[in-house]
Amino acid sequence: MKAHPQSGFSSKIGAILATAGSAVGLGNVWRFPTETGANGGAAFLLIYVFFMIFLATPIMIAEFTIGRHGQKDVFHSFAVMSRNHRLWKYMGFLPVVAGILVLSYYAVVAGWTFEYAYTAGINGFAGKSASQYAQDFSLFISHPLRPLMWMFFILALTFVIVALGVQKGIERGAKVMMPVLFLFLVILAVCSLSLPGASSGIDFLFHPDFSKVTGSTVLSAMGQSFFTLSVGICCLCTYACYFRKDINLVSNGFSVAVIDTMVAVMSGIIIFPAVYSVPGLSPDAGPSLVFITLPNVFQHVFSGVPVIAYIFSLLFYLLLVMAALTSSISMLEMSASYFHAEKSMSRPVACAGVSIICLFLGALCSLSFGPLKEVQLFHMGFFDLFDFVVAKLFMPIGGFLTCVFLGWVVNGKVMKAELTNNGSLRQPLYPLLRFLIRYFVPVCILLIFIHELGWIG
Ligand code: PHE
């Protein structure tokens, strides 16, 4: 059976690229180096890879199963699969709400990447002192209008692509942007590896020092694995509704996880050697690593050849822009698909409605770095609050509920039928995946959550 003949992804490669496009984003090129830098490098990387394999990827496969089984939208999937358990139906609202929240604050940072790509394009980084980069960044993010303008721009671009539809917008966008993104990654990594201090950077990334590992390293690694694979808030469940019935969900899931990890590691290979090649700079600069440390690094290390400094900066920020865009597309689709499929709104109207809400909420997040700095809820500004709610609450709770739902509520035959494509595929990993989804993932998330609340450990 081939449902959605005109509205699903047209090919297997299109489905993989679009899903990888959602996963690969600022989480890889911005958040991953930041977290790795702050948590001691290679030891963090190892724990992160463990969570990717045993936690985040099984959740992704669970989301694929639920989405593809329903074939329409996430709300429909939960409604038909929950049978008599009416409360589960409400899980269908998770992506609607989470999509709006995550896009609202993601668009702010995505907007910053546009500003930096623009500055790189007009050669605006040249000839500045180290302290000027820091000053420029804080002036920019606290400006009342400029970041809003870029945020509007990225939301408008996202709107146009998603409004064009699954095949003509999302799939085509991923097919164009993802190969370019890989090409840029390879060029930048090769350049970075040829820098004088490269070996210290590589050492930092690949040589584990377990004395740096604490409880919070483990938590950060789990949070990062969820965020980077876009799992827990039914984002990939939304895309899986558009998967054809002949797609192998397990191999698709692992391919996306491998692509995503490769991009994260390559971003580390680009960033850490570059940071170590300038004396006095350290890899644990936090979120400002990409916006303050790196422009400085690029100008410094290539100071003898300004053309290379120019090209390197421009490629790097264009890479960030594309990574951000392929992810923001999936965030808009999460919410808009509900209004389109369940409320019979046309695609452009559904997308426009969601985008306008995000514009308003995103403005609050953006202004929380400037004029609204003093406004705090639960001791956090809007930006931090949205990030907290999505990454620390919705993602783990959503991931937990998704696995409990598929593992315990839905008839076991459904999962087997979806993972083996109705018996036509051999699926040796099925028993392991079923075990992970029923027991391991929910118990792990629960323990980590309890630990976070301070009740154990
Ligand atoms: N995975 C994306 C990234 O790495 C972020 C994302 C989160 C996308 C949630 C969609 C949903 O940047």
Side-chain angles (χ1 to χ4, degrees), residues 51 70 122 137 142 159 230 276 361 367-368 401 423 439:
F51 282 140
I122 58 167
F137 179 63
S142 57
F159 161 77
S230 322
Y276 273 99
L361 294 175
L367 294 173
S368 70
L401 292 176
Y439 301 98

Side-chain angles (χ1 to χ4, degrees), residues 161-233:
I161 296 175
V162 180
L164 279 173
V166 175
Q167 276 179 25
K168 292 209 183 87
I170 302 175
E171 184 174 346
R172 205 198 285 159
K175 277 184 173 161
V176 174
M177 283 188 276
M178 292 307 281
V180 179
L181 190 142
F182 292 130
L183 182 70
F184 283 11
L185 270 174
V186 173
I187 298 176
L188 289 167
V190 171
C191 262
S192 207
L193 282 175
S194 63
L195 293 172
S199 58
S200 320
I202 294 300
D203 222 38
F204 177 75
L205 189 60
F206 294 117
H207 209 261
D209 171 2
F210 286 102
S211 67
K212 301 255 169 61
V213 176
T214 62
S216 81
T217 318
V218 176
L219 273 185
S220 307
M222 180 182 83
Q224 176 60 19
S225 73
F226 278 41
F227 189 84
T228 193
L229 275 192
S230 322
V231 297
I233 48 176

Side-chain angles (χ1 to χ4, degrees), residues 1-79:
M1 180 185 80
K2 193 170 140 191
H4 274 296
Q6 348 63 4
S7 56
F9 293 121
S10 67
S11 61
K12 290 184 190 174
I13 185 72
I16 292 192
L17 285 179
T19 318
S22 166
V24 170
L26 296 175
N28 305 62
V29 198
W30 175 59
R31 210 171 184 275
F32 174 79
T34 305
E35 292 279 322
T36 311
N39 287 294
F44 174 85
L45 180 62
L46 274 181
I47 303 172
Y48 162 81
V49 168
F50 173 85
F51 282 140
M52 287 288 275
I53 299 174
F54 294 105
L55 228 57
T57 307
I59 302 178
M60 175 168 35
I61 292 172
E63 289 195 19
F64 281 172
T65 306
I66 297 170
R68 196 191 46 191
H69 191 71
Q71 289 279 296
K72 189 177 166 207
D73 67 293
V74 178
F75 190 84
H76 173 79
S77 288
F78 275 97

Side-chain angles (χ1 to χ4, degrees), residues 19-29 31 98-99 102-103 105-106 224-231 233-236 260 323-324 326-331 334 390 395:
T19 318
S22 166
V24 170
L26 296 175
N28 305 62
V29 198
R31 210 171 184 275
V102 72
L103 181 55
Y105 79 90
Y106 199 83
Q224 176 60 19
S225 73
F226 278 41
F227 189 84
T228 193
L229 275 192
S230 322
V231 297
I233 48 176
C234 295
C235 176
L236 299 184
D260 189 81
T326 51
S327 293
S328 64
I329 290 169
S330 67
M331 295 170 184
M334 282 164 72
V390 172
M395 284 185 163

